[in-house]
Amino acid sequence: MRKVRIIARIDIKNEFAIKGIQFEGLRKVGNPNELAKRYYEAGIDEIIYMDAVASYYERNSLQDVVASTCENIFVPITVGGGIRTVEDIQQMLLAGADKVAINSQAIKTPDFIQKAAQIYGSQCIVGSVEAKKVAEGRWEAYIENGREPTGIDVVEWVKKLECLGAGEILLTSVDKDGTKKGCDLELIDSIQKTCSLPLIVAGGVGKLADTRDAAQYSGVDAICVASMLHYGMESIDNIKKEIAQIDNVEVRC
Amino acid sequence: MNNIFILDIGLGNVKSIANAFSVLGHTTTLSCDKQALLNSAQGLVIPGVGAFSEGMKRIAQRDLIDTIITFANSGRPTLGICLGMQMLFDGSDEFGYCQGLGLIPGQVQKLPLPKGSKLPNIGWGRLKPNKAYKGSNSIVSEDIASQPFYFVHSYAAKPKDNSHTATYSDYCGVDFCSTVNNNNIWGCQYHPEKSGPNGLQLLKRFAQQVVK
């Protein structure tokens, strides 16, 4: 049986949980600790905290949020946004994070992924990829929370991240983020065919069927859900039941 | 006083283990101080993520190898988590052969997976009790014996004596030892501190052994 994880993604700005559409127009959706606790109690498999402004403004406000979350939440926690140095990683791990997601700094200095993996192990380093469609069957990697194009092809970049020592890939569609209009299935398909690391897909989930559409690909290991949970549109139970309907797929229950 | 000593060698998320015991009402000490371990600790948790050789190197640098062995041989409950479990064994093949603590006979090897399987194994896997395991008072109590726990690993331990394997788990159809027990020494390949209420239940069982 193939296992698919359901991950709650909580974007953070200062001390608030926020959600934007295509990374823009950020709206407050609550207190991150309260959301995380609610999702934990409802059976979420993992939590991803993403600092929505850290990378852009060169600052990092997540440490306190992570530390208090870890006091009473006992599922894996990944932290991303503004992770630029080994010290940043160390700080997040000390606060209680299990993994860090790295995007902008990986593009700027790819060796950073290699160095981080050597120190903390690949299992700790999530290669975060923000993909924007630029032509039919072609996606470009973006940095700084979907704001800055890099000219780098996403399929190639995922392969590179694997070679550098990342242990997981978090693939976010910039086009679909926050739209609740379904995932970019072409993007997911083209990555899942070639990616031999555990693959987390994010961006666009707005209804139960969207989670199932994304989870049907055999190379997809985890689905990120944000808006649907933040706005109380669906329960974690229902999402898991939906995905468990796919042949040969198992969820944690 | 029920003092659980969490070995802090600067690898991985030790804070969450302390938080888990704290929620369960137990005091912990996060430290790598030899004297504190030998003289005032009643139970020991060896955490760790990352490479086997890096973990052993850090233990050796702090001159802790003999101290840990002395502590475990004193009969006090000892629990290795993830890499901490692997280091309880004789040695590992990861990045060339590296010697372990030798507290449980056996070797650590890369998961022998079918071609095309993804590594690391990241995600939730169920425990499956081993019928040949004869231990009583297992930290894997009956209510959690077939529940899912959170795994992150590419290597797994193979105990020399099959009766030391308390539970198996499988990944891509391959069974591996997920909980090991040799007298007062325990190891789990999964992360109980990241496995929700089931993981807390397991840590509670371990803490109960520390109290006794």
Side-chain angles (χ1 to χ4, degrees):
Chain A
M1 293 282 266
R2 180 164 67 91
K3 289 168 184 140
V4 175
R5 290 171 276 151
I6 309 301
I7 302 177
R9 173 170 167 158
I10 303 175
D11 290 350
I12 293 188
K13 184 181 179 183
N14 303 324
E15 71 272 31
F16 297 105
I18 52 106
K19 190 69 199 124
I21 295 174
Q22 294 170 331
F23 291 96
E24 298 289 346
L26 307 180
R27 272 176 62 184
K28 285 181 195 169
V29 292
N31 172 307
N33 290 122
E34 285 169 15
L35 290 180
K37 182 113 194 295
R38 197 201 302 162
Y39 302 154
Y40 169 67
E41 284 167 355
I44 203 73
D45 295 330
E46 288 186 40
I47 286 165
I48 293 179
Y49 277 140
M50 200 60 84
D51 193 334
V53 290
S55 194
Y56 196 51
Y57 294 107
E58 303 244 329
R59 65 177 169 179
N60 218 323
S61 58
L62 265 176
Q63 201 185 357
D64 295 342
V65 175
V66 174
S68 57
T69 297
C70 292
E71 280 171 18
N72 49 18
I73 287 176
F74 300 104
V75 289
I77 294 174
T78 301
V79 178
I83 304 287
R84 286 178 288 268
T85 61
V86 166
E87 288 71 33
D88 291 338
I89 299 175
Q90 182 73 19
Q91 200 180 42
M92 287 306 158
L93 297 184
L94 282 176
D98 301 283
K99 319 179 214 181
V100 289
I102 303 170
N103 178 22
S104 303
Q105 198 61 39
I107 296 256
K108 288 175 192 161
T109 47
D111 287 352
F112 179 51
I113 293 284
Q114 202 168 15
K115 192 173 163 195
Q118 272 164 4
I119 299 172
Y120 299 103
S122 291
Q123 84 294 326
C124 185
I125 309 300
V126 180
S128 174
V129 178
E130 288 164 7
K132 196 169 166 61
K133 193 167 182 173
V134 286
E136 205 46 52
R138 232 185 75 77
W139 294 265
E140 185 176 340
Y142 269 60
I143 55 170
E144 311 295 350
N145 267 297
R147 289 180 188 90
E148 297 285 330
T150 64
I152 296 170
D153 179 75
V154 164
V155 176
E156 293 305 315
W157 178 232
V158 169
K159 283 184 200 155
K160 181 85 189 286
L161 282 169
E162 188 178 337
C163 293
L164 289 168
E168 244 178 321
I169 298 293
L170 167 61
L171 177 68
T172 307
S173 161
V174 175
D175 306 298
K176 299 286 183 177
D177 173 74
T179 62
K180 304 195 279 276
K181 286 180 178 162
C183 302
D184 185 341
L185 298 178
E186 285 173 23
L187 167 68
I188 292 173
D189 190 29
S190 65
I191 298 298
Q192 67 97 21
K193 277 181 193 152
T194 51
C195 177
S196 58
L197 292 175
L199 176 64
I200 306 165
V201 298
V205 171
K207 55 183 187 302
L208 286 179
D210 297 337
T211 61
R212 195 169 164 180
D213 288 345
Q216 66 176 322
Y217 297 101
S218 62
V220 170
D221 299 276
I223 313 262
C224 261
V225 187
S227 306
M228 207 160 75
L229 294 177
H230 300 337
Y231 300 122
M233 294 154 66
E234 276 302 340
S235 69
I236 291 163
D237 254 5
N238 283 346
I239 296 169
K240 289 191 172 184
K241 278 181 194 147
E242 180 78 15
I243 290 175
Q245 285 176 36
I246 305 169
D247 276 350
N248 204 33
V249 164
E250 195 182 4
V251 292
R252 165 192 171 235
C253 50
Chain B
M1 199 181 80
N2 166 20
N3 191 4
I4 299 168
F5 189 98
I6 302 172
L7 190 71
D8 186 3
I9 51 169
L11 268 186
N13 182 358
V14 287
K15 192 77 194 346
S16 288
I17 300 174
N19 287 342
F21 280 115
S22 162
V23 162
L24 295 165
H26 298 281
T27 20
T28 54
T29 305
L30 267 171
S31 166
C32 62
D33 183 81
K34 283 201 292 190
Q35 291 311 317
L37 173 60
L38 280 181
N39 300 334
S40 56
Q42 288 160 300
L44 167 64
V45 176
I46 307 171
V49 294
F52 192 99
S53 51
E54 180 68 23
M56 284 307 300
K57 189 177 92 187
R58 285 173 182 240
I59 289 177
Q61 276 169 349
R62 290 158 179 81
D63 193 22
L64 281 162
I65 292 178
D66 292 340
T67 312
I68 294 170
I69 293 170
T70 305
F71 181 91
N73 286 338
S74 74
R76 284 172 278 185
T78 301
L79 170 66
I81 295 174
C82 195
L83 176 63
M85 167 198 187
Q86 296 180 2
M87 292 190 296
L88 298 173
F89 286 83
D90 292 323
S92 168
D93 290 335
E94 194 175 356
F95 303 123
Y97 189 76
C98 177
Q99 210 172 352
L101 295 164
L103 290 165
I104 300 177
Q107 297 293 333
V108 178
Q109 295 159 347
K110 198 164 197 170
L111 283 167
L113 299 179
K115 227 182 154 188
S117 309
K118 290 185 179 185
L119 273 180
N121 168 25
I122 300 185
W124 298 77
R126 288 185 188 282
L127 306 186
K128 302 189 285 187
N130 174 24
K131 291 186 183 73
Y133 173 68
K134 297 286 182 258
S136 57
N137 198 24
S138 174
I139 57 171
V140 184
S141 51
E142 249 172 60
D143 52 333
I144 55 169
S146 58
Q147 293 295 314
F149 283 73
Y150 186 78
F151 289 85
V152 187
H153 64 128
S154 298
Y155 285 72
K158 199 169 190 296
K160 207 169 179 179
D161 181 346
N162 176 43
S163 72
H164 286 157
T165 297
T167 69
Y168 289 103
S169 293
D170 68 84
Y171 178 59
C172 297
V174 175
D175 274 347
F176 59 89
C177 170
S178 51
T179 315
V180 71
N181 174 222
N182 182 13
N183 297 313
N184 57 309
I185 302 165
W186 296 89
C188 39
Q189 183 57 64
Y190 42 87
H191 288 268
E193 79 284 11
K194 290 289 159 184
S195 298
N198 295 322
L200 293 179
Q201 168 67 9
L202 183 140
L203 293 174
K204 186 177 159 189
R205 296 273 298 186
F206 176 75
Q208 281 166 353
Q209 304 199 353
V210 176
V211 177
K212 281 202 313 198

